[in-house]
Amino acid sequence: MAVPKKKTSKSRKNMRRAHDFLTAPSLSVCPECKSPKMPHRACPSCGIYKGKEVVGAAKQA
């Protein structure tokens, strides 16, 4: 079993973890209703993708 010879310093540990953060999902704007939506997915508010209605829009009161 591999055992480290030296203790990993706080600086080296934090440098290694520098890329482990979460990134916010990218959003695009729906060309029909101008609401934010995830790219390459149907709009959750109007149900349109690539100019066609693919999902029935949610009933708004």
Side-chain angles (χ1 to χ4, degrees):
M1 191 168 120
V3 178
K5 275 190 184 240
K6 300 280 186 179
K7 179 179 179 178
T8 305
S9 68
K10 295 174 193 167
S11 174
R12 187 164 294 280
K13 174 183 67 174
N14 292 337
M15 282 192 286
R16 183 181 68 239
R17 294 179 180 173
H19 304 286
D20 291 348
F21 53 86
L22 295 175
T23 57
S26 61
L27 293 176
S28 61
V29 177
C30 175
E32 297 291 323
C33 66
K34 308 295 187 254
S35 67
K37 69 174 193 74
M38 299 207 38
H40 306 288
R41 286 167 179 77
C43 178
S45 54
C46 66
I48 293 180
Y49 181 65
K50 290 191 176 180
K52 299 175 187 168
E53 185 170 350
V54 293
V55 179
K59 304 286 184 209
Q60 295 178 353

